[in-house]
Amino acid sequence: MGTTDPEDTFNLCDQRKRILSADGHMLVVGGPGSGKTTIALLKARRRVLSHLDAEQTVLFLSFSNSAIRRIMESSGRILTDDIADRVEIKTYHSFGWEILTSHGYLTSSRRRLKIVPAQDAAVRSAGLSENEWLVEQQRLYVEEGLVTYDQFAPRSAEILKRSAAARKCFCSVYPLILVDEFQDTDADQWALIQILSAGSEIIALGDAEQRIYEWRPGVSETRLEDFGNALKCERFDFANENNRSPATGIAGFARSLLSPGSEQEFPAEIARARIKPGRMAVHLHLAVRKAFREAKERSGQDRPKIAIAARSKKLVRQISDSLSESLTINGKLFKALQHDVLIDQHQIFLAARAIANIISSPEHDRGERLAQALDRIADMLRSAANKTNIEASDKLRKWAAKCREGKIPSTKCVAALASVMDQLDKEGLTGAPTQDWVAVRRCLEKADAPELTKLADMARYLRLLHRGSAIEQALIVLWVSQGNYRGAEEALEQAILQNQIVDAQRETAAVSVMNMHQLKGREYDAVVLVEDQYNTFMAQDKTPPYAETRRLLQVSITRARHYVVILSNEGEDTLARFLRA
């Protein structure tokens, strides 16, 4: 970057110059790609250079690790290394954990707190009402020093509210706090920001039309107004400026979806394709390759980044399975597409825990070994939190208790699990973690019990989550040091917990598959949006004018810099309904 001032490389309007020069709380609003992140980073840079003491840093808060990565990528154009070292970019979770680890003892009976991993919280909360789970979380925190992620914000706010010393400490370290995607802030996170505003300058960035998390408890449609009114701050509005895809019709078309009855032709950068019954895999392969070609040509990049998104988790998995197939289309071979997949992780991680237990427990007697595995499979089922899975989980736990008593049940599931263990003991483990892991999974796939095949199906997605490298390294260390995988569960837990706090996940493939809400905070060269007749973009949004779905589509479409493909079933689709309404 040399000695060039980054501010000189941007065309700064009067209100942007005002943001950089003024002090105090501010609210900055604007649509997708309007430059909110850029001006925030320029503000952080100026603060570091002019009004920051040696022990102070600027704090940049956001919701997701994907948004953090986007901000960090943007910062490379604006912040030199020495300045970047003075700007901390964190999620609410990592910031909340910072407060809890230093001052949590003030509100808990335990000196040191421990995190309840998200997958374990899902198991504990299954079958409880919202209020019952809240009471249980409070008990866990106060009596056992166990804190769930949902408790990070309220407990952090409680500490700063009750302790003037703690509040002064954090406000002194972070005199300027930038908060991204403020429209999605829930009541607890807003309370935390309000407390910090007493001693730190707060700049909130947001866009009411990108509010897609209203289903989360405590999220309010008036949050941006709440901020402005409570902090009595100046408001800066970038309106519909678009710096992400300024030369395309993507942003304009996406905005038109917010207005029922508007008429808008599809721009050249947005293509529609139809799925014929039973031809999902074929149309997906063709759509992704089309998106890749168009993005490559329009961006000038050899390896453009493509996102494929659907609204339902079920359809996300179907998309991943379809892309994993090699197909022959009109006599031409289309190879399987390597891709990352970002899906609900609770059952996947709990399935991984069960496999880690199986490979690490040969020294236990048969009853205890079966009992441990059954308990972990029961947890995996229970985390789904529906009546059928909870009942199945309770059944497995009863069988586990009988195994511990030496009264091994003669059920199909227990017999099949014993058979899997016998086969593994006979064939032995190799010390190559990936090979051994796959061997266990394949034994489970062939088992004559639906609980075990469900376990294998969930574990199959661990590879796609790219957790393998950290987990594999931990297992190699165990094997080299002791000749077995004893301790595999603990190693797995540490790898997963670290990822849940700081999220070391990276999208390493050119193609990523996810649900549409996960697109928030990300940017891609092209985006492929998929629905079918059973899993539409509208999901449970049944009331006209379908405002929730319109906002979700607007956010999803505007994640694309250069090209969008919308893949729907033959016949009436969501866009046809919206454009006609």
Side-chain angles (χ1 to χ4, degrees):
M1 186 176 293
T3 58
T4 302
D5 186 340
E7 293 182 17
D8 295 336
T9 65
F10 296 96
N11 184 19
L12 300 177
C13 61
D14 289 342
Q15 67 171 339
R16 285 173 169 79
K17 292 177 181 177
R18 169 73 179 154
I19 291 171
L20 293 178
S21 61
D23 294 324
H25 307 309
M26 301 178 192
L27 174 61
V28 181
V29 299
S34 61
K36 299 186 296 297
T37 300
T38 297
I39 197 64
L41 289 169
L42 289 172
K43 179 73 173 181
R45 176 183 177 275
R46 190 176 279 204
R47 177 57 64 91
V48 170
L49 292 174
S50 58
H51 300 298
L52 212 60
D53 294 336
E55 72 281 0
Q56 294 179 320
T57 58
V58 173
L59 177 62
F60 203 136
L61 282 180
S62 193
F63 285 91
S64 66
N65 289 285
S66 60
I68 294 295
R69 288 193 289 275
R70 174 179 55 80
I71 294 166
M72 293 181 72
E73 289 169 0
S74 298
S75 70
R77 299 179 294 120
I78 298 170
L79 309 180
T80 54
D81 290 344
D82 57 330
I83 295 177
D85 289 342
R86 307 287 303 280
V87 179
E88 295 187 29
I89 305 175
K90 298 183 175 183
T91 63
Y92 272 104
H93 280 155
S94 58
F95 178 54
W97 186 235
E98 181 182 340
I99 296 172
L100 291 171
T101 51
S102 60
H103 292 82
Y105 66 91
L106 296 174
T107 52
S108 174
S109 62
R110 301 297 178 92
R111 179 74 186 181
R112 298 186 64 180
L113 302 179
K114 294 183 179 179
I115 296 174
V116 180
Q119 61 272 14
D120 290 327
V123 175
R124 289 175 180 265
S125 63
L128 299 181
S129 68
E130 184 177 329
N131 187 62
E132 288 170 338
W133 175 228
L134 179 59
V135 171
E136 175 61 8
Q137 288 180 94
Q138 293 170 340
R139 185 196 68 78
L140 289 170
Y141 178 82
V142 174
E143 297 179 11
E144 300 183 33
L146 298 175
V147 56
T148 65
Y149 289 108
D150 287 343
Q151 288 287 293
F152 276 29
R155 292 299 176 181
S156 297
E158 179 188 13
I159 289 169
L160 297 187
K161 182 177 181 179
R162 293 174 56 182
S163 172
R167 185 169 61 251
K168 182 178 179 181
C169 172
F170 282 96
C171 289
S172 176
V173 172
Y174 303 117
L176 173 63
I177 301 176
L178 307 159
V179 190
D180 197 22
E181 306 289 2
F182 198 79
Q183 73 279 352
D184 293 324
T185 304
D186 66 29
D188 293 325
Q189 293 160 339
W190 170 216
L192 176 61
I193 295 301
Q194 279 187 284
I195 293 167
L196 289 166
S197 70
S200 300
E201 289 182 32
I202 311 292
I203 299 180
L205 315 174
D207 177 15
E209 298 298 352
Q210 293 191 66
R211 193 179 68 253
I212 61 173
Y213 290 106
E214 282 189 311
W215 47 269
R216 287 179 51 224
V219 173
S220 170
E221 63 181 11
T222 64
R223 186 66 69 221
L224 295 175
E225 290 77 9
D226 295 342
F227 180 91
N229 294 335
L231 274 59
K232 296 180 173 55
C233 64
E234 191 168 357
R235 176 187 174 107
F236 300 87
D237 193 345
F238 295 170
N240 293 320
E241 297 180 35
N242 174 29
N243 301 305
R244 178 176 298 140
S245 51
T248 75
I250 291 173
F253 178 84
R255 272 198 308 275
S256 74
L257 295 177
L258 299 175
S259 303
S262 66
E263 294 186 8
Q264 180 80 16
E265 292 185 3
F266 281 79
E269 299 83 10
I270 300 181
R272 296 175 79 181
R274 302 292 189 176
I275 302 172
K276 293 183 179 180
R279 303 272 288 175
M280 166 71 80
V282 170
H283 291 290
L284 268 172
H285 275 268
L286 294 174
V288 174
R289 284 169 170 82
K290 177 180 177 62
F292 189 87
R293 288 194 306 272
E294 292 285 349
K296 183 177 179 179
E297 179 180 343
R298 294 165 188 267
S299 68
Q301 299 183 48
D302 290 333
R303 195 171 184 265
K305 302 288 274 187
I306 313 295
I308 310 171
R311 186 152 187 181
S312 77
K313 288 184 280 189
K314 179 180 180 181
L315 188 51
V316 168
R317 287 181 179 167
Q318 290 177 3
I319 291 168
S320 177
D321 289 342
S322 294
L323 295 180
S324 299
E325 299 177 21
S326 292
L327 299 176
T328 299
I329 305 174
N330 296 328
K332 181 179 179 181
L333 176 64
F334 287 73
K335 294 183 179 180
L337 284 171
Q338 181 183 357
H339 60 281
D340 297 313
V341 60
L342 287 65
I343 55 181
D344 184 26
Q345 300 174 4
H346 296 160
Q347 283 195 301
I348 295 167
F349 288 159
L350 290 166
R353 179 186 292 171
I355 291 182
N357 173 266
I358 290 171
I359 66 173
S360 67
S361 62
E363 75 275 9
H364 293 302
D365 65 57
R366 175 49 61 94
E368 179 60 25
R369 192 179 180 193
L370 287 168
Q372 288 188 15
L374 288 167
D375 278 337
R376 283 147 183 80
I377 300 169
D379 284 347
M380 180 201 73
L381 295 172
R382 193 174 193 85
S383 68
N386 57 56
K387 182 179 179 181
T388 299
N389 279 282
I390 289 174
E391 289 175 351
S393 172
D394 290 342
K395 183 170 59 178
L396 264 65
R397 286 178 174 176
K398 290 178 181 178
W399 294 342
K402 288 185 177 294
C403 287
R404 287 194 171 92
E405 296 170 0
K407 304 173 183 177
I408 298 176
S410 57
T411 65
K412 179 184 288 189
C413 177
V414 176
L417 181 58
S419 178
V420 167
M421 292 177 175
D422 288 340
Q423 183 176 346
L424 292 172
D425 291 345
K426 179 181 178 181
E427 296 177 356
L429 299 173
T430 67
T434 301
Q435 182 178 333
D436 291 336
W437 193 278
V438 171
V440 176
R441 198 187 70 213
R442 286 177 176 167
C443 287
L444 293 166
E445 287 174 345
K446 298 174 183 177
D448 185 23
E451 299 90 346
L452 303 189
T453 55
K454 173 73 170 179
L455 169 61
D457 182 56
M458 288 293 104
R460 183 166 58 91
Y461 287 96
L462 189 72
R463 172 185 60 82
L464 299 176
L465 287 168
H466 284 279
R467 307 292 181 179
S469 58
I471 295 169
E472 183 175 55
Q473 185 59 41
L475 295 179
I476 288 173
V477 170
L478 291 175
W479 189 275
V480 170
S481 63
Q482 59 195 30
N484 57 47
Y485 292 124
R486 189 173 60 252
E489 272 192 272
E490 292 77 8
L492 175 71
E493 295 301 311
Q494 287 302 312
I496 290 173
L497 185 60
Q498 182 66 16
N499 279 315
Q500 287 178 342
I501 296 176
V502 302
D503 194 7
Q505 178 177 328
R506 294 291 186 271
E507 296 166 59
T508 59
V511 178
S512 298
V513 183
M514 66 196 74
N515 69 54
M516 291 168 68
H517 284 86
Q518 288 172 308
L519 279 171
K520 186 69 174 290
R522 292 176 158 90
E523 293 181 11
Y524 297 90
D525 295 298
V527 170
V528 179
L529 301 179
V530 185
E531 69 174 349
D532 64 16
Q533 65 186 108
Y534 306 109
N535 304 276
T536 72
F537 296 137
M538 290 192 292
Q540 301 305 311
D541 186 13
K542 305 299 186 184
T543 306
Y546 314 107
E548 179 188 352
T549 301
R550 291 177 183 275
R551 285 195 298 268
L552 182 58
L553 278 168
Q554 185 242 6
V555 169
S556 301
I557 290 170
T558 55
R559 299 306 93 191
R561 298 185 187 95
H562 303 287
Y563 201 70
V564 178
V565 178
I566 301 174
L567 192 58
S568 304
N569 66 293
E570 273 194 331
E572 183 177 76
D573 61 4
T574 299
L575 282 182
R577 178 179 296 190
F578 283 5
L579 295 175
R580 189 181 64 238

